[in-house]
Each structure stands twice: as C-alpha cells, then as structure tokens.
C-alpha cells in the first residue's frame, strides 16, 4: 500500500496547494512506497506564522505541562513501534531490528531530555564579588527559549535524529519547523503522527516537506527562524552556514573517523569493534569508522582478523536482518564504487569484497591504501574500509589530523598512558579508547570539529543550544 504523506501545519494534516508530490522509492524493494507533498513558499510562511504564535503561549507553560506532552509522545512512539519501524525499513533500508531499536532509543531520548530539563536550573549572582560592586545588586540568570527552531534531519536515522532536535527544542519552550530529508520523510511523518497523538498545542510543530530547490534556502534565510539545527552532508552544512545570517546554528556533518590500532592492542577485540563501527547499516553513519591506521608490525594479523569477521556479515535485504544492505540510492553506490576503483587503480589490494549488484555493495576491505588515494580522505558513507599501514604514533597523529573532518577517533591499545597521549593530540570532537566510534549514549556531548560540524549536541548540550541565557538584575534597597 502506498503511503500518502501530508503536510502537518497548525495541527492539521493537509495536501499542498502546489498540487505536486515527490515519489519515495524504497532502496531495496526498488518500487515506490509512497509520496510526500511539495510545499510552496507561501505555505512555509504560513507554517512559520503559526509556529511563532504557538511558541509565545508555549513558552509561558510550566515545565511540568511541557513534560507531560513529551512523555505522551514517547509513549505513542512505543505504542506504534512496529508500524514506524516497518516504514523506516522500507524507506531507508535499515533492518527491522535496528529500526525498532531506533524507535526505542528515540523514546528513551525524549524521556531523558525531559528529565534533564526538569533538573536544569539557573543561577543567581551578587554584585559584591566584583571590585566596587554592591550586595544590593542581584542577577538572576535563567535560560529562555530562542523562538522557532528549524530542524533539518538526515535519511539515516529518520526518526531518532529528528526527535533529537525536536525534543530539546520543545521542552525548552520553542516551536519547531521540521524539514526531514526527502528520503526519510515518510518515517518522519510517522514520528509526527505519534507527536500529534500527544496533544501538543496547534501550530507548535509543523512538518514541511518539499523540494530543496524551492524551500531549502527559503527556510534557512527566513526571518521567522531563530535557530537552525542541521544534520547532514558537509557541503550542505557549509552552504547553510553561508546563507544563515546571525542565526544560532548547530551543524552535525560528515566524518572520516580513524580506527587507530597500536602494536600493543588486543587485536581480536579491536577487529570486532572496527567491523561493527565500520559496517553497521552498510557504513551509512556519520560516526562510522572510515579508515584504519594500523601499526605495520601487526597489520597482517589485523587484516586477517578483519577479513574473517567481514566474511561473516550478512549481506542482502534488510528484511533478512542483513548488516550490509543496499545503499540509499544508486548515486551513493556509484560514489563508493568510484572510491574503490580509484584505490584499486592506484595499487590498493582488495582483501575481500569489491562486488556490487546495483546499489548493494558487498563489504570491501582494501589493504595498502596510501595517502595518494581518494579513499584515504573522502567519506564513502558505504561499506568500503581502507587499511593504511603506519610505523609510529607520530605518523598516526599526522595522518589522523590531516583530514578535513574531525568527528571522532578510536584508539586501540593496552597502554592507557599512550592512549591518552594520542587522544590529547587528535583533532576530533570525541576520542574512544578501546571502543568503536559512536554517538551514544545520547546524553554524552556529541561534537564535530573542522568539516564535521559546529556547536554541540547530546541531550544537555542540545537544550543549551536551543536556549539563551537571560539576566534580570534586582537593585535592592539594602
Ligand atoms: O550518522 C549519524 C550519527 O549520529 C550516528 O549515530 O549512534 O550510530 O553513532 P550512532
């Protein structure tokens, strides 16, 4: 059955006056599964007007009132977990098990966000701690909402990475304009259907879907938007940063996370973590391990272990619970294949993989990758993992930091002092010691440096980024 996505504006589901829709094709069923509305700019204006009006009242409600709506939303997501997960599977080709965990993780995220906000308090300051100041001045510092938040989410976690923007925005007293990636918009719509059941005030959350060419820049430059939270590709993030003027911005972009394996690492454990880090959901995660920097003295052993692990990965349809699934579209698969071909043409050795059927790329391990090859630097967002052999920690740090990206890094070693010494020098938002690169647990700060983003996410950080401090000064007659 085809899913007919609608806009959600002022608490109502409606078709766009444009009369146009965008077809959504499943990346593994290879047939249309539904469509979403192509909104007009005028309808975007209306959605933002409604959001502005609703936000003013919402900001006046108590935290407990806001919390009760968010808890209901989390409950509704879980009550509809199977249905939502099935749409995620069909739309973005993620296994049902992973899609279901995405829904559970989202409900957990929403609840934790509420609890975090309930325990965030402002501070007060007396004037007399500054030279010449007086006790009669008391500053009350509180967090206030920013207004209307534009939340733009990517295809790979169409529910979780959307809710991780909506929940902190809402609990903090903001309204939201939610623009999902078009591939992912049906899953986003299901998430909003659950939110609708939670009885939020009309106009507080509005779902807009449409063509980037019509509404992309229009939304970002819109005077009614007070904050933008974007997760997606680095090129789009950069474009967005140039277009948005004087609007607080949080960007979570691409990565080229290195898995660093020292000569003293537990190689079996490192191999397991690297495989899970690199190949889950076919590597379509910004936090995937996207290159291995291994000491030459243990490289042969590690490569053999990785090969053994890769050959056990289930490849195929997400309906069979496969780890390696067809990529989101043919364009993405062509890009990954281009990186593999470039490496092979320049002398990289195919250890396993380099097989392709349409957009299904088998997990591919390439050894003896050098700095001349594109795969050493570019982000595949697919199941192609380069092995770069190194001879020292200094070389590891130099290669790790030569990347345009700086999301995360993993260091595998039994020497905790060395691990810290390397971690201190790695330019990344987070360094994992003896574990795979990953965003969770979701209350940890999640930060990208360089081309990987700006600002910080993670539950508390997201609430902070969607609020600002406001100071009220009492001048007492003491
Ligand atoms: O690709 C987006 C990123 O947030 C992935 O999250 O939890 O799989 O590391 P996670």
């Amino acid at each position: 059955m085809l899913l007919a996505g609608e806009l959600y504006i002022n608490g109502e589901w409606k078709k766009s006056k444009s009369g146009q829709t965008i077809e959504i094709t499943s990346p593994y069923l290879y047939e249309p599964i539904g469509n979403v509305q192509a909104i007009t700019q005028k309808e975007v204006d209306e959605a933002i007007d409604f959001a502005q009006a609703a936000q003013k009242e919402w900001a006046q409600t108590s935290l407990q009132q806001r919390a009760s709506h968010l808890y209901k939303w989390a409950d509704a997501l879980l009550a509809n977990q199977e249905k939502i997960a099935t749409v995620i599977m069909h739309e973005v080709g993620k296994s049902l098990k992973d899609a279901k965990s995405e829904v559970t993780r989202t409900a957990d995220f929403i609840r934790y966000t509420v609890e975090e906000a309930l325990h965030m308090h402002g501070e007060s300051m007396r004037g007399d701690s500054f030279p010449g100041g007086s006790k009669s001045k008391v500053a009350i510092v509180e967090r206030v909402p920013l207004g209307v938040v534009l939340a733009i989410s990517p295809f790979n976690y169409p529910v979780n990475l959307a809710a991780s923007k909506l929940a902190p925005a809402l609990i903090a007293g903001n309204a939201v304009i939610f623009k999902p990636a078009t591939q992912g918009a049906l899953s986003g719509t299901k998430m909003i259907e659950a939110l609708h059941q939670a009885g939020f005030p009309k106009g507080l959350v509005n779902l807009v879907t449409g063509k980037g060419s019509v509404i992309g820049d229009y939304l970002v430059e819109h005077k009614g938007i007070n904050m933008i939270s974007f997760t997606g590709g680095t090129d789009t993030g950069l474009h967005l940063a140039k277009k948005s003027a004087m609007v607080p911005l949080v960007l979570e972009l691409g990565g080229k996370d290195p898995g660093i394996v020292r000569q003293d690492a537990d190689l079996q454990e490192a191999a397991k973590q690297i495989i899970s880090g690199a190949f889950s959901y076919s590597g379509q995660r910004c936090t995937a391990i996207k290159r291995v920097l291994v000491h030459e003295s243990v490289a042969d052993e590690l490569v053999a272990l990785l090969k053994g692990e890769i050959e056990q990965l289930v490849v195929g349809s997400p309906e069979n619970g496969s780890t390696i699934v067809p990529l989101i579209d043919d364009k993405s698969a062509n890009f990954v294949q281009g990186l593999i071909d470039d490496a092979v043409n320049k002398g990289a050795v195919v250890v396993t993989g380099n097989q392709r059927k349409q957009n299904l790329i088998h997990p591919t391990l390439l050894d003896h990758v050098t700095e001349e090859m594109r795969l050493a630097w570019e982000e595949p967002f697919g199941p192609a993992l380069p092995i770069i052999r190194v001879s020292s920690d200094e070389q590891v740090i130099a290669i790790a930091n030569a990347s345009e990206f700086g999301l995360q890094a993993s260091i595998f070693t039994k020497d905790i002092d060395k691990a810290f010494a390397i971690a201190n020098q790695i330019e990344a938002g987070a360094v994992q010691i003896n574990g795979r690169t990953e965003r969770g647990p979701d209350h940890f700060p999640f930060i990208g440096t360089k081309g990987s983003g700006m600002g910080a996410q993670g539950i508390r950080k997201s609430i902070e980024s969607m609020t600002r401090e406001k100071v009220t000064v009492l001048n007492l007659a003491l």
Side-chain angles (χ1 to χ4, degrees):
M1 194 187 68
L2 291 181
L3 294 169
E6 293 189 315
L7 305 171
Y8 181 67
I9 294 175
N10 200 30
E12 285 167 18
W13 295 97
K14 50 175 82 167
K15 297 205 174 349
S16 169
K17 295 200 176 81
S18 72
Q20 292 178 11
T21 55
I22 307 168
E23 192 172 77
I24 308 288
T25 299
S26 167
Y28 73 97
L29 296 169
Y30 305 110
E31 60 185 29
I33 53 164
N35 57 43
V36 293
Q37 301 294 309
I39 196 172
T40 64
Q41 292 183 349
K42 187 160 177 291
E43 288 165 323
V44 165
D45 290 342
E46 288 165 8
I48 294 174
D49 285 347
F50 286 125
Q52 284 179 321
Q55 191 270 329
K56 289 194 172 50
E57 286 187 33
W58 181 244
Q60 298 308 317
T61 58
S62 76
L63 255 175
Q64 285 291 343
Q65 280 173 299
R66 287 182 227 154
S68 76
H69 289 289
L70 278 120
Y71 281 135
K72 282 184 196 150
W73 177 27
D75 292 344
L77 284 169
L78 289 180
N80 293 284
Q81 180 178 30
E82 187 81 29
K83 273 191 223 147
I84 299 171
T86 304
V87 174
I88 295 175
M89 178 174 73
H90 287 160
E91 189 176 27
V92 303
K94 181 180 286 191
S95 74
L96 192 61
K97 179 171 159 279
D98 287 352
K100 278 189 190 166
S101 330
E102 177 169 341
V103 178
T104 313
R105 180 180 181 178
T106 304
D108 290 341
F109 187 102
I110 294 168
R111 291 184 179 138
Y112 196 108
T113 302
V114 169
E115 282 143 24
E116 186 73 22
L118 293 175
H119 293 94
M120 284 170 76
H121 302 289
E123 59 177 350
S124 65
M125 302 162 84
R126 286 270 181 180
D128 60 333
S129 48
F130 195 81
S134 152
K135 262 193 191 324
S136 65
K137 270 190 189 293
V138 183
I140 301 166
V141 187
E142 295 175 296
R143 288 206 161 266
V144 295
L146 295 177
V148 179
V149 169
L150 172 60
I152 310 178
S153 60
F155 80 83
N156 59 346
Y157 290 77
V159 168
N160 183 268
L161 283 176
S164 63
K165 302 178 188 314
L166 268 68
L170 293 171
I171 195 68
N174 298 286
V176 176
I177 299 292
F178 169 39
K179 161 70 179 80
T182 299
Q183 190 84 31
L186 290 172
S187 309
T189 300
K190 289 283 152 204
M191 185 195 76
I192 295 296
E193 283 175 9
L195 181 140
H196 179 67
Q197 290 174 28
F200 284 90
K202 284 181 189 305
L204 191 68
V205 176
N206 301 274
L207 166 68
V208 302
T209 55
K211 297 177 183 153
S213 55
V214 177
I215 57 163
D217 287 353
Y218 191 73
L219 275 167
V220 167
E221 293 177 318
H222 203 289
K223 292 280 171 279
I225 296 294
N226 306 109
M227 189 272 170
I228 302 172
S229 177
F230 170 81
T231 300
T234 298
D235 291 346
T236 313
L238 194 60
H239 176 79
L240 203 146
K242 286 180 185 156
K243 288 279 169 188
S244 60
M246 293 281 285
V247 174
L249 201 56
V250 171
L251 300 175
E252 198 248 296
L253 311 175
K256 188 70 182 171
D257 296 358
I260 296 167
V261 184
R262 290 193 79 250
Q263 54 273 46
D264 61 356
D266 175 339
L267 294 182
Q268 295 219 339
E269 187 52 30
K272 280 200 167 49
Q273 293 289 326
I274 289 169
I275 294 301
S276 159
F279 293 109
S280 301
Y281 187 37
S282 287
Q284 296 177 110
R285 297 166 54 240
C286 53
T287 43
I289 289 188
K290 292 180 181 138
R291 48 188 172 144
V292 174
L293 307 179
V294 57
H295 194 273
E296 56 196 5
S297 63
V298 293
D300 287 345
E301 199 182 333
L302 181 76
V303 168
L305 286 166
L306 292 173
K307 180 172 186 284
E309 294 277 341
I310 288 174
E311 288 174 353
Q312 288 176 36
L313 294 174
V314 181
V315 180
S317 165
E319 303 208 1
N320 302 332
S322 307
T323 300
I324 303 297
V325 290
L327 296 184
I328 195 69
D329 53 27
D330 286 345
K331 190 172 159 225
S332 307
N334 291 341
F335 180 72
V336 177
Q337 190 63 53
L339 294 179
I340 296 172
D341 293 347
D342 172 77
V344 171
N345 290 338
K346 289 176 182 159
V349 175
V350 178
V351 179
T352 185
N354 197 14
Q355 276 176 275
R356 174 180 180 188
K357 191 171 171 227
Q358 211 164 333
N359 57 335
L360 176 64
I361 299 208
H362 284 243
T364 301
L365 186 66
L366 292 158
D367 198 359
H368 299 283
V369 170
T370 64
E371 294 177 58
E372 287 66 48
M373 300 173 190
R374 289 173 56 205
L375 192 56
W377 306 111
E378 294 182 38
E379 178 185 34
F381 228 69
L385 183 64
I387 304 281
I388 302 172
R389 294 172 176 237
V390 293
S391 55
S392 67
D393 290 343
E394 291 68 35
Q395 193 189 1
V396 157
I397 293 161
I399 296 177
N401 289 345
S403 169
E404 67 177 294
F405 297 106
L407 191 56
Q408 294 201 354
S410 286
I411 303 172
F412 297 97
T413 176
K414 289 188 190 131
D415 185 334
I416 200 73
D417 295 325
K418 280 278 180 222
F420 261 82
I422 297 170
N424 283 343
Q425 294 183 69
I426 297 278
E427 295 163 0
V431 180
Q432 306 265 355
I433 296 173
N434 293 324
R436 69 172 206 165
T437 47
E438 61 188 2
R439 174 168 50 110
D442 292 342
H443 64 308
F444 284 6
F446 183 50
I447 300 162
T449 60
K450 304 200 288 188
S452 292
M454 54 188 260
Q457 295 189 94
I459 289 174
R460 190 182 183 93
K461 296 287 171 193
S462 293
I463 297 171
E464 286 172 358
S465 74
M466 291 172 174
T467 49
R468 66 182 165 81
E469 285 184 317
K470 183 168 183 187
V471 186
T472 309
V473 182
L474 289 176
N475 289 276
L476 304 168
L478 290 179

